[in-house]
Amino acid sequence: MKLTIIGTGYVGLVTGTCFAEVGHQVICVDNNTDKVKLLQGGGIPIYEPGLEDLVKKNVAAGQLRFSASTAEGVENSDVVFIAVPTPPLPDGSVDLSFIESVAREIAGAMTSYKIVVDKSTVPVKTGDKVAETIKRYGKSKVEFDVVSNPEFLREGFAVEDLMKPDRVVVGVRTQRPVPAMRALYAPFHAPIIVTDINSAELIKHAANSFLALKISYINAVSVICEASGANVQEVANGMGMDARIGRRFLDAGIGFGGSCFPKDLSAFIKISEQLGYDFALLKEVQRINAGQMDRFVKKITDTLWVLKDKNIGVLGLAFKQNTDDVRLSPAIDLCQRLLKEGAVLRAHDPKAMDKAREVLKNATYVEDMNDVAAGCDALVMANEWRIFKKLDLERARRLLTHPILFDSRNLFDAREMEEMGFIYKSVGR
């Protein structure tokens, strides 16, 4: 099939590349000409495991190309995906101006029937607005269908998630586009759930909010574990073996971040308010999430006392492992709080240092994780990259002025750390 993906961020670029990989002809469109030139030249603007090789492979095979022209993409495709940003507004609602702008561009470029697929995460009833916009601004008055096809990609595992999806949700206003959407996703061999368009839009917000709730639940349990002398990891393992619950998203830490969960949670609360329901449960999820960071910072200040002029090493800057994304990163938030108190930071992340430099200017960046502890009063594990488990702990202990380690992701065994001579502080243990 001939596809156009408008937007080449984490969702759009991965989606377009994976569709090309299974045999579709794909044009990825972006209005950022510098990004398009980068992609046309063989570079990619984000780090996502496995993505760069797939982009190069499919560009070379002629399955994937890049353009700055929406009109070119619409003209040369049967299905047009909208995968542009939907950033949060100060009141928690979503900025839909990019969606509206793209819908108008599509309308102006259509000369034959198209299926317009909303891949961006949007509030319920956005599909109706997109359809209304295309109808209003369409020059040729041709027929079209609007489909909601929410993404369920985890940054760091996005290629895997798209190539082997748990399910594909297709929300439609009529049955006309259903056969094409089934054919589009047939190579992925995944269950396809066809719903009305409003239900499809709600599924994404409901799913992400539930996962955020699950994280906040185990973080609340971690507070009880610390107060009672229990181990949150053992509690989570015992809970997770219940098939009704599952172990995923039951890792205590300093709270969830990134570009999805905080935004989608706020948006779902706002959507609910607009529909006449006070979703107080999700407001409590937000409160617990914020409190978890406060508690971890308090551990650091209680141990080090005065942070002014203290040298602190930080391992991890991305919002989680396997990505270079620092948007709403808890690790960056933690660093900013430490800097505000006058601390001096030495930091390392396997992939995110270039992007971290743009938002965290007053830190020293260290290329080797095993050098971060040099001359520091304490070391902080701020995210969960697997490579951090291979940290040379004996060397870190020798390099530290004081053998103090704060572990926000419970990467190490508490007893072993104490036996090595560390003052070791983790979460819920």
Side-chain angles (χ1 to χ4, degrees):
M1 298 178 69
K2 295 181 179 180
L3 314 177
T4 286
I5 316 290
I6 302 177
T8 58
Y10 284 88
V11 173
L13 185 57
V14 173
T15 300
T17 302
C18 290
F19 277 144
E21 174 68 9
V22 298
H24 300 303
Q25 292 284 328
V26 180
I27 304 172
C28 283
V29 174
D30 202 286
N31 62 3
N32 184 329
T33 54
D34 290 338
K35 184 188 287 190
V36 171
K37 289 177 182 177
L38 173 67
L39 288 161
Q40 290 173 335
I44 63 171
I46 58 174
Y47 172 74
E48 186 66 37
L51 180 61
E52 185 172 5
D53 289 343
L54 285 182
V55 170
K56 290 179 178 178
K57 173 186 173 183
N58 285 284
V59 168
Q63 295 293 119
L64 176 66
R65 61 189 179 93
F66 302 96
S67 172
S69 170
T70 298
E72 178 189 358
V74 173
E75 181 182 352
N76 291 283
S77 63
D78 305 308
V79 184
V80 181
F81 283 81
I82 300 175
V84 295
T86 52
L89 293 170
D91 67 351
S93 61
V94 175
D95 181 356
L96 296 174
S97 60
F98 296 106
I99 299 282
E100 196 265 356
S101 177
V102 168
R104 290 179 63 170
E105 289 181 17
I106 293 170
M110 285 196 318
T111 57
S112 61
Y113 173 78
K114 305 291 179 184
I115 299 172
V116 179
V117 182
D118 202 343
K119 198 74 175 171
S120 301
T121 300
V122 295
V124 64
K125 298 187 177 182
T126 299
D128 293 340
K129 294 293 185 182
V130 170
E132 182 181 316
T133 300
I134 294 174
K135 186 176 181 179
R136 180 178 298 162
Y137 291 95
K139 295 178 181 178
S140 302
K141 304 303 178 185
V142 296
E143 293 185 342
F144 65 93
D145 275 295
V146 172
V147 173
S148 175
N149 177 218
E151 53 84 14
F152 301 100
L153 307 181
R154 299 168 296 163
E155 286 187 37
F157 303 91
V159 172
E160 176 185 341
D161 287 346
L162 209 150
M163 296 301 290
K164 299 177 181 178
D166 294 327
R167 79 290 199 196
V168 174
V169 175
V170 175
V172 296
R173 303 169 81 234
T174 74
Q175 290 300 303
R176 183 176 180 179
V178 173
M181 295 301 295
R182 288 190 182 277
L184 176 65
Y185 278 102
F188 298 99
H189 305 291
I192 297 177
I193 303 168
V194 179
T195 73
D196 64 90
I197 200 165
N198 289 348
S199 295
E201 290 169 337
L202 273 177
I203 285 169
K204 177 59 187 289
H205 276 119
N208 273 5
S209 295
F210 182 82
L211 294 175
L213 183 153
K214 196 172 181 182
I215 295 169
S216 281
Y217 181 82
I218 200 63
N219 278 334
V221 170
S222 76
V223 179
I224 305 303
C225 287
E226 286 189 17
S228 63
N231 185 324
V232 72
Q233 288 178 308
E234 294 180 2
V235 173
N237 289 339
M239 290 172 58
M241 291 179 72
D242 187 325
R244 299 169 300 175
I245 298 173
R247 182 61 177 82
R248 293 171 67 185
F249 294 89
L250 284 180
D251 290 309
I254 50 176
F256 55 79
S259 64
C260 290
F261 283 5
K263 174 176 75 77
D264 291 353
L265 192 65
S266 294
F268 201 22
I269 291 170
K270 192 66 177 179
I271 290 165
S272 301
E273 288 178 356
Q274 291 169 348
L275 295 172
Y277 179 66
D278 179 10
F279 216 143
L281 176 62
L282 297 186
K283 293 177 181 178
E284 185 64 12
V285 169
Q286 290 179 318
R287 190 191 68 80
I288 292 170
N289 195 59
Q292 202 70 2
M293 177 66 77
D294 294 339
R295 274 185 286 274
F296 193 76
V297 171
K298 187 174 186 300
K299 284 183 184 180
I300 296 174
T301 54
D302 285 350
T303 305
L304 299 181
W305 192 21
V306 176
L307 295 187
K308 182 175 172 56
D309 297 329
K310 290 287 196 320
N311 293 298
I312 299 176
V314 178
L315 286 173
L317 296 166
F319 84 94
K320 66 173 186 175
Q321 65 172 330
N322 291 341
T323 182
D324 62 351
D325 194 350
V326 298
R327 291 175 294 175
L328 294 180
S329 167
I332 295 292
D333 182 16
L334 175 60
C335 288
Q336 289 171 334
R337 293 190 188 208
L338 297 177
L339 287 169
K340 187 176 180 180
E341 293 298 320
V344 179
L345 301 187
R346 290 170 55 83
H348 170 82
D349 188 283
K351 294 294 180 181
M353 288 199 289
D354 286 345
K355 290 186 176 179
R357 286 186 176 97
E358 299 173 9
V359 294
L360 199 67
K361 302 182 186 302
N362 298 323
T364 299
Y365 293 89
V366 182
E367 291 300 322
D368 189 330
M369 68 177 182
N370 287 305
D371 293 335
V372 172
C376 288
D377 296 282
L379 186 62
V380 176
M381 314 302 296
N383 71 16
E384 72 282 19
W385 281 91
R386 289 180 182 176
I387 195 172
F388 290 163
K389 291 188 176 183
K390 297 180 180 180
L391 180 70
D392 188 336
L393 291 169
E394 284 289 354
R395 185 166 187 262
R397 186 174 59 81
R398 293 195 304 269
L399 289 175
L400 286 165
T401 304
H402 308 287
I404 302 171
L405 193 149
F406 300 96
D407 187 355
S408 76
R409 299 296 181 178
N410 295 342
L411 295 177
F412 304 116
D413 182 271
R415 184 175 298 176
E416 291 177 2
M417 295 296 289
E418 289 168 2
E419 288 174 354
M420 289 180 65
F422 280 96
I423 297 171
Y424 179 73
K425 306 288 184 179
S426 56
V427 178
R429 305 186 298 174

